[in-house]
Amino acid sequence: MAVGDIHIPHMQSVKGLKIGTTQAYVRYPNRRDLVIFEFSEGTHVAGVFTQNAFCAAPVRICKKHLSTEDTRYLIINTGNANAGTGEEGMKNAYAMCEAVAHEAGIKAEQVLPFSTGVIGEQLPIERITNATPSALKTLNDNAWLDAAHGIMTTDTVPKGASIQLELDGIVYNMTGISKGAGMIRPNMATMLSFIVTDIPISKPLVQQLLKQAADQSFNRITVDGDTSTNDSCIFAATGQAGGQEIQTENDPRYKIVKDKLFEVMKRLAQLIVRDGEGATKFITVDVKGGQNTQECCDVAYSIAHSPLVKTAIFASDPNWGRILCAIGYANISDLDVEKVQVWLDEVQICKNGGRAEIYTEEEGIRVMSKPELTIHVDLGRGNAQDIVYTCDLSYDYVKINADYRS
């Protein structure tokens, strides 16, 4: 059950991009599970990937191909992660690229492969390679929603975001999709995300923009604290809408594009949390008063990862001691607990390290019963601030993950 605002807007087409989808029957019948992106020549493509040392075969192939050739195609399958699959998995990931390259008349190194689904099973590669021609035949300018459906696994809703912006009299589009509901933790998660714009941006800046936006969006969410093997986020700039290329940070257009990219990626990241497996509540953890953003982030994640905090929120139980406990084990050196203050929305529960005199259990229950709430923390030791987004932990989370492979 997705929480709160999950509206998917009309997703604008992007000049220089076509998308095709088909049914490859990778794991389940009667559903789209193979998606192909085709970029125009000259598109600049960047990626950020999982920090899990056991990264999947397609992640390893993506990193290699991005470093050697200009990318023209992406191929994405669901139902099987091709992770923990050894040398055969590497061969299968490369075979996905070869299948596209053969049909498109390009190098296999110009194709990036992506897989998501069950870990530890060999990819049914023939189903994918046999279905590749039919996916390519469906390439068109307006298939974003089909693609959003085609990359889903345990997601309950497709996830997309799209904006238009005007620079020097030219209207540009920026559209993206993502998938992810469980095994979500910072440093990328079991998620895939693909964002494309027709703004002309130099290749180094495309990578820089992606890294900056990912750090404040996809690297600021957590559902269950597990870092996956397959996380990948791609940002591509086709440049096909015209205009002068943005080549430096000093270009006044750079900040505008940076802000818009962050807007899109933040929306996609929040949609993942809102669709967290079994989630019933969307939680913002806002920590200020740190000496630097890192310690604010550490405290925010300590709270957001805590199973005791997350289950208390699910039960609408204002057991605020669990929040204090999580702050305490965030490893903040020389933390003066008598300066710490905590609120649930506007209700102060902790002042100067102890229970706020004005706090009542009834007010705590009222806030925790809401589908969306914010935990505010003031560490009282500086001016830094950071925010993390998470969800509660419910009975359904256990059920979904216990039955995932059936």
Side-chain angles (χ1 to χ4, degrees):
M1 180 181 70
V3 181
D5 177 16
I6 57 169
H7 171 68
I8 305 299
H10 170 69
M11 288 186 277
Q12 304 286 345
S13 61
V14 176
K15 294 178 180 177
L17 169 70
K18 294 182 178 180
I19 301 174
T21 65
T22 194
Q23 297 180 18
Y25 301 92
V26 174
R27 189 170 189 86
Y28 304 108
N30 303 317
R31 59 155 294 173
R32 292 186 183 91
D33 56 4
L34 188 66
V35 178
I36 293 179
F37 282 52
E38 179 188 75
F39 299 125
S40 59
E41 287 192 52
T43 297
H44 294 149
V45 180
V48 290
F49 302 93
T50 180
Q51 295 184 27
N52 190 314
F54 228 120
C55 65
V59 172
R60 295 165 64 187
I61 295 290
C62 276
K63 290 180 178 180
K64 182 178 179 180
H65 286 189
L66 273 173
S67 67
T68 58
E69 295 285 348
D70 290 334
T71 301
R72 291 293 312 283
Y73 288 84
L74 313 179
I75 179 169
I76 310 127
N77 77 268
T78 60
N80 185 301
N82 193 9
T85 49
E87 187 60 31
E88 185 176 350
M90 291 292 290
K91 291 178 180 177
N92 287 337
Y94 190 73
M96 291 173 65
C97 303
E98 289 183 312
V100 176
H102 175 75
E103 297 293 326
I106 60 169
K107 297 178 182 178
E109 287 72 21
Q110 292 179 282
V111 183
L112 305 183
F114 303 86
S115 298
T116 183
V118 175
I119 295 171
E121 296 181 3
Q122 292 296 340
L123 199 65
I125 188 61
E126 289 188 1
R127 298 181 190 179
I128 293 174
T129 56
N130 289 341
T132 297
S134 64
L136 288 167
K137 287 178 182 177
T138 70
L139 288 170
N140 68 92
D141 299 329
N142 295 293
W144 277 107
L145 186 56
D146 288 344
H149 281 281
I151 65 173
M152 292 168 59
T153 49
T154 58
D155 308 62
T156 65
V157 293
K159 302 170 178 68
S162 188
I163 61 169
Q164 284 191 329
L165 65 156
E166 184 175 329
L167 301 171
D168 296 336
I170 301 174
V171 176
Y172 297 101
N173 290 336
M174 184 184 294
T175 299
I177 58 174
S178 63
K179 64 79 51 182
M183 206 180 286
I184 300 292
R185 186 186 187 275
N187 302 323
M188 306 294 292
T190 186
M191 54 141 285
L192 299 178
S193 187
F194 308 97
I195 305 102
V196 187
T197 185
D198 43 27
I199 302 169
I201 309 170
S202 70
K203 189 167 186 175
L205 287 191
V206 170
Q207 182 68 53
Q208 180 174 304
L209 284 163
L210 174 61
K211 178 65 167 61
Q212 291 173 338
D215 281 346
Q216 295 302 313
S217 57
F218 292 118
N219 285 337
R220 289 295 183 273
I221 62 174
T222 181
V223 169
D224 50 20
D226 275 351
T227 298
S228 175
T229 55
N230 291 61
D231 331 332
S232 303
C233 181
I234 295 295
F235 177 45
T238 69
Q240 292 300 301
Q244 292 294 314
E245 184 175 80
I246 301 173
Q247 297 182 335
T248 72
E249 292 183 63
N250 296 326
D251 189 317
R253 297 172 297 168
Y254 178 87
K255 185 179 186 307
I256 297 172
V257 173
K258 177 182 174 181
D259 290 345
K260 291 299 183 181
L261 178 60
F262 171 63
E263 180 183 328
V264 169
M265 292 177 64
K266 179 181 177 183
R267 174 60 177 165
L268 293 173
Q270 290 189 358
L271 283 171
I272 288 174
V273 175
R274 291 181 183 279
D275 195 29
E277 289 171 344
T280 69
K281 296 175 184 176
F282 179 84
I283 306 159
T284 300
V285 185
D286 183 359
V287 180
K288 69 177 182 179
Q291 292 182 351
N292 52 62
T293 56
Q294 185 59 57
E295 67 179 26
C296 291
C297 187
D298 289 344
V299 170
Y301 273 128
S302 187
I303 296 169
H305 285 158
S306 169
L308 291 178
V309 172
K310 293 158 77 72
T311 50
I313 293 175
F314 168 68
S316 301
D317 175 16
N319 191 341
W320 56 274
R322 295 180 177 183
I323 299 174
L324 294 191
C325 181
I327 296 171
Y329 61 62
N331 293 321
I332 305 303
S333 60
D334 302 321
L335 178 65
D336 185 348
V337 297
E338 293 187 359
K339 293 182 178 180
V340 173
Q341 302 189 72
V342 182
W343 293 260
L344 295 175
D345 283 353
E346 77 287 355
V347 176
Q348 186 163 14
I349 59 176
C350 173
K351 184 176 182 180
N352 300 330
R355 177 172 175 152
E357 292 181 3
I358 61 172
Y359 172 72
T360 66
E361 192 87 348
E362 291 75 19
E363 281 290 280
I365 293 172
R366 178 184 63 80
V367 174
M368 279 205 173
S369 299
K370 295 161 64 174
E372 300 192 24
L373 66 144
T374 300
I375 298 172
H376 298 279
V377 177
D378 188 342
L379 298 176
R381 53 194 268 121
N383 298 314
Q385 183 175 14
D386 213 330
I387 295 176
V388 166
Y389 306 98
T390 190
C391 59
D392 58 343
L393 201 58
S394 71
Y395 305 125
D396 284 342
Y397 177 86
V398 177
K399 294 177 183 177
I400 289 167
N401 282 282
D403 295 338
Y404 179 57
R405 298 206 308 160
S406 60

